């Protein structure tokens, strides 16, 4: 429908609040990449599963006291928005592992309460990340405000795509556009997402009462 080749969009299964058995089941069905928001919960499951054939992505807000655990257990981080956190992840990335793949989170909806750098501010952060040898800048990520207005969804995703094209012009390693969740993934794919982050549409509704604080 969006005129996209099927293999140009990857699926990240967002497994927050799914237990290790549920992740193992999805892995057995062929799913390789899993996204987690809560460090402690994720590390417990990563250790329990202990599988090198699962690619772990950290997609939640990053507290500075959690950077070591993230750098040791994940191969991707989607939610980088601060220089200080970039430095800490770089220092904590173990030498026996390849550089940590990172995406800069951009606040495409302009709401004061939302995470991410302001559109345009990703350029300065990108320069910092490129100077850090244990990090590899792969692209951008956004979580627009929830809306049923498809035209508005597309406007937000189109903005992220434009910023991504600018970054790509000076950096051929930039190849990943992480946008689209269960409720807006069609619009994201139409606007060029290369990685959609889907939880509810795969695993069902989450029980939010069990969330880590
Ligand atoms: C939970 C979460 C998702 C998945 O959301 P669904 O609506 O369940 O598909 C995607 N991205 C981030 C950053 C999330 O926290």
């Amino acid at each position: 429908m969006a005129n996209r080749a099927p293999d140009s969009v990857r699926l990240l299964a967002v497994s927050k609040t799914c237990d290790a058995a549920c992740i193992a089941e999805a892995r057995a069905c062929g799913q390789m990449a899993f996204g987690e928001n809560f460090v402690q919960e994720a590390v417990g499951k990563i250790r329990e599963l202990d599988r090198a054939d699962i690619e772990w992505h950290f997609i939640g807000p990053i507290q500075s006291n959690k950077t070591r655990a993230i750098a040791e257990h994940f191969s991707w981080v989607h939610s980088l928005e601060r220089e200080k956190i970039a430095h800490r992840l770089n220092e904590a990335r173990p030498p026996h592992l390849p550089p940590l793949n990172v995406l800069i989170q951009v606040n495409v909806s302009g709401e004061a309460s939302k995470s991410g750098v302001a559109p345009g501010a990703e350029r300065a952060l990108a320069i910092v990340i490129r100077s850090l040898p244990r990090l590899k800048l792969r692209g951008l990520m956004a979580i627009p405000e929830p809306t049923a207005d498809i035209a508005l969804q597309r406007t937000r995703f189109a903005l992220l795509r434009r910023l991504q094209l600018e970054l790509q012009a000076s950096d051929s390693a930039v190849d990943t556009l992480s946008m689209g969740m269960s409720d807006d993934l069609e619009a994201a794919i139409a606007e060029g997402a290369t990685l959609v982050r889907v939880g509810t549409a795969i695993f069902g509704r989450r029980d939010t009462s069990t969330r880590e604080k």
Side-chain angles (χ1 to χ4, degrees):
M1 228 165 52
N3 262 322
R4 299 280 310 274
D7 63 358
S8 69
V9 189
R10 286 185 79 204
L11 175 64
L12 180 67
V14 177
S15 46
K16 57 188 176 204
T17 76
C18 274
D19 63 14
C22 148
I23 294 170
E25 199 178 314
R27 180 68 195 91
C29 296
Q31 179 61 32
M32 267 200 54
F34 292 85
E36 292 281 341
N37 293 58
F38 308 109
V39 178
Q40 247 161 275
E41 178 196 323
V43 170
K45 291 187 278 189
I46 293 170
R47 288 217 175 99
E48 189 180 339
L49 285 158
D50 191 24
R51 289 180 66 149
D53 64 348
I54 290 182
E55 188 180 277
W56 295 102
H57 294 234
F58 189 76
I59 62 174
I62 309 173
Q63 293 167 285
S64 26
N65 62 351
K66 300 279 167 64
T67 46
R68 176 159 303 277
I70 293 171
E72 287 175 352
H73 294 283
F74 289 82
S75 49
W76 287 75
V77 169
H78 290 225
S79 39
L80 192 56
E81 54 171 344
R82 286 159 63 200
E83 218 176 282
K84 179 182 148 201
I85 298 291
H87 283 285
R88 290 182 68 106
L89 289 170
N90 180 65
E91 280 152 27
R93 183 66 172 172
H96 68 278
L97 295 175
L100 183 63
N101 297 294
V102 301
L103 306 176
I104 298 172
Q105 184 171 353
V106 180
N107 179 358
V108 292
S109 304
E111 295 157 293
S113 60
K114 280 265 167 116
S115 309
V117 302
E122 76 288 346
R123 289 177 214 130
L125 186 52
I127 292 169
V128 172
I129 295 167
R130 288 197 197 104
S131 75
L132 300 172
R134 306 297 298 140
L135 302 186
K136 184 172 185 186
L137 180 64
R138 297 294 295 272
L140 301 177
M141 178 272 233
I143 312 172
E145 80 271 49
T147 171
D149 179 346
I150 307 284
L152 183 59
Q153 291 176 5
R154 290 193 60 151
T155 305
R156 304 303 192 209
F157 292 134
L159 169 58
L160 196 69
R161 174 95 192 278
R162 268 203 313 282
L163 301 174
Q164 171 90 339
L165 286 173
E166 257 180 57
L167 272 190
Q168 267 170 339
S170 59
D171 186 345
S172 59
V174 167
D175 58 3
T176 302
L177 197 50
S178 166
M179 57 188 198
M181 318 196 338
S182 296
D183 291 334
D184 57 11
L185 63 97
E186 287 89 358
I189 290 169
E191 293 296 344
T194 68
L195 189 58
V196 289
R197 307 178 310 270
V198 182
T200 315
I202 299 175
F203 298 113
R205 290 272 300 281
R206 285 179 290 274
D207 172 9
T208 49
S209 65
T210 59
R211 279 194 186 183
E212 173 187 322
K213 278 281 140 343

